Amino acid sequence: MEHTTCTLNRFVIEQQRNFPEARGKFTELLEHIAFASKIVNRETSKAGLVDILGLTGHVNVQGEEVQKLDQFAQSTFFKALDHTGLCACIASEEEPDILPIPDHFPCGDYVVTFDPLDGSTNIDANVSIGTIFGIHRRVSTGDRGETRDALQPGRNLVAAGYVIYGSSTILVYTCGGSAGVHGFTLDPSVGEFFLSHNFIRTPVSGSIYSTNEGNYQSWNAPTREFVDRLKTKDNPRGKSYSTRYIGSLVADFHRNLLYGGVFLYPSDTKDPSKPTGKLRLLSECAPLAFVCEAAGGKASTGYKRILDVEPTELHQRVPLIIGSPAEVEFYEQICAKHSKG
Ligand code: AFP
C-alpha cells in the first residue's frame, strides 16, 4: 500500500506548532484515542472468527441489548484514557452516569464523551460500524470531574471526531472552524493512521437523502413534506434525490460528508419512548455536528442549531438533520413555514 508519510501523530504535532502556548496534551489525548480504536479495529475485523459476536444478554441504560463488542469497545476506550492524567471524567453512551477517573490516577482537564461502538446492531452482518467522540475542557474545579463537565453544549467542544471500522478503517477529527476536518486511514501492515483526507469540505448541496423511511407514518408534518419534496422536482435542486441508508450513523454521515446530501433522524411523534428522536445529543449528535460545521455543513433539530442545544441530561436525545447547507436549510424553512401555521 502506498501512502504519504504523514501519520496522524505527525500531523497533530505539526498543527500544534501553530499554537505556541499548547502543551501537547491534546496531541497525547488523540494518540490514546487512536490507540484504542486500533484495538477495537483488531477485534471487529476478526469478529467472525472468535466467540465475540452476538448479545451478552444484558440491557444498557437506553433499554437496548448490549453486544459483546459494545462492551469490549467501551472498556478499551476507558482503559486507554483513565490513567493518562489527561481526563477529568469520561461519559459513554453505554453507561448511565459519568465514568470517574479512578482515585489512584491523576485527574486532567479534558472530558471525553463517546459512543464506543455505534451501529452495533449491524455487527453480525459485517456492516460498517464506528466510534464517535467529543472532547470538552472541564468546567468544574474540584479534585475529580463531575457530570456538569459532560453536560456542555456542542459549541464548547474543543475537538470531535469518529472512527469507521469498514472496508478500511478511517479516523476523522477536527478541532473546529478553520482548523479543518482531516481523515486518516489505518494501514494495518504498519498499524498507523496515515493522512488520506486533508481538509475535507462537504458539498454545499448533494443528491442523497438518508433516513429510515419506515418511520414515515410517525414523522411530523414538516419531515413528511421535506422527504416528499426531495422525491420530486419541488426542491431547491429542482431534481429528485436518491436514498442511501445503512442504519449505521457514522457510515451514513461519512458518505454524505464526502458526497453531499442530508441525513435525518427526526422526532418520532407516535412513539412516546422517543419523543425527541433516537440519537443522543452528547455522544452522537453534537460531535458529528461539530465535524460537519467545520467541513462547511450544517446540523439542526429543524428549529435550532445542534451545537446550541443545552444538555440537561447525559442521555438526552434530539432530532438530527445534518449535512450539506442547502438541504438542512430547506428542512429548516419547511419547519418555519409549518410553525407559522
Ligand atoms: P445501534 O448502535 O443500536 O445499531 O443503533 C444505531 C443508531 O444509533 C445509528 O447508528 C443509526 O443511524 C440509527 O441507530 C439507526 O436507527 P434505525 O434502525 O431506527 O434506523
Side-chain angles (χ1 to χ4, degrees), residues 118-121 212 245 247-249 263 265 278-280 284:
D118 181 71
S120 54
T121 49
N212 184 344
Y245 190 65
S248 198
L249 177 60
F263 172 95
Y265 211 111
K278 176 181 181 186
L279 304 177
R280 296 76 169 176
E284 297 176 310

Side-chain angles (χ1 to χ4, degrees), residues 122-318:
N122 293 311
I123 290 170
D124 288 349
N126 258 15
V127 171
S128 296
I129 49 183
T131 298
I132 304 172
F133 60 90
I135 302 172
H136 285 281
R137 245 178 246 290
R138 72 182 294 190
V139 288
S140 68
T141 52
D143 183 36
R144 299 279 126 177
E146 299 170 24
T147 303
R148 66 193 168 103
D149 293 319
L151 289 181
Q152 297 191 54
R155 62 173 181 272
N156 291 358
L157 283 160
V158 292
Y162 55 89
V163 184
I164 302 179
Y165 313 102
S167 47
S168 62
T169 293
I170 180 166
L171 185 154
V172 174
Y173 90 96
T174 182
C175 290
S178 58
V181 178
H182 312 283
F184 302 81
T185 302
L186 182 67
D187 181 341
S189 66
V190 266
E192 278 287 359
F193 282 104
F194 288 92
L195 181 63
S196 52
H197 299 68
N198 200 6
F199 275 103
I200 297 172
R201 300 295 297 170
T202 201
V204 289
S205 174
S207 60
I208 294 171
Y209 75 94
S210 309
T211 191
N212 184 344
E213 220 162 336
N215 295 332
Y216 185 91
Q217 293 302 330
S218 55
W219 284 344
N220 54 30
T223 306
R224 287 198 214 177
E225 179 180 332
F226 176 71
V227 170
D228 286 346
R229 289 176 63 180
L230 295 186
K231 294 188 214 175
T232 68
K233 292 184 179 168
D234 185 16
N235 57 57
R237 235 176 121 240
K239 285 191 241 172
S240 61
Y241 284 65
S242 296
T243 312
R244 297 283 183 277
Y245 190 65
I246 298 167
S248 198
L249 177 60
V250 272
D252 278 313
F253 172 78
H254 183 67
R255 181 202 52 238
N256 290 6
L257 185 74
L258 298 183
Y259 299 166
V262 62
F263 172 95
L264 58 151
Y265 211 111
S267 60
D268 186 331
T269 50
K270 286 201 177 148
D271 181 350
S273 74
K274 17 182 202 175
T276 50
K278 176 181 181 186
L279 304 177
R280 296 76 169 176
L281 176 61
L282 291 176
S283 56
E284 297 176 310
C285 303
L288 294 187
F290 194 71
V291 172
C292 191
E293 285 201 4
K298 287 192 111 181
S300 170
T301 64
Y303 300 88
K304 193 172 194 167
R305 182 180 175 229
I306 290 287
L307 296 181
D308 286 336
V309 177
E310 299 286 339
T312 52
E313 52 178 290
L314 288 177
H315 296 282
Q316 186 170 333
R317 297 174 193 254
V318 279

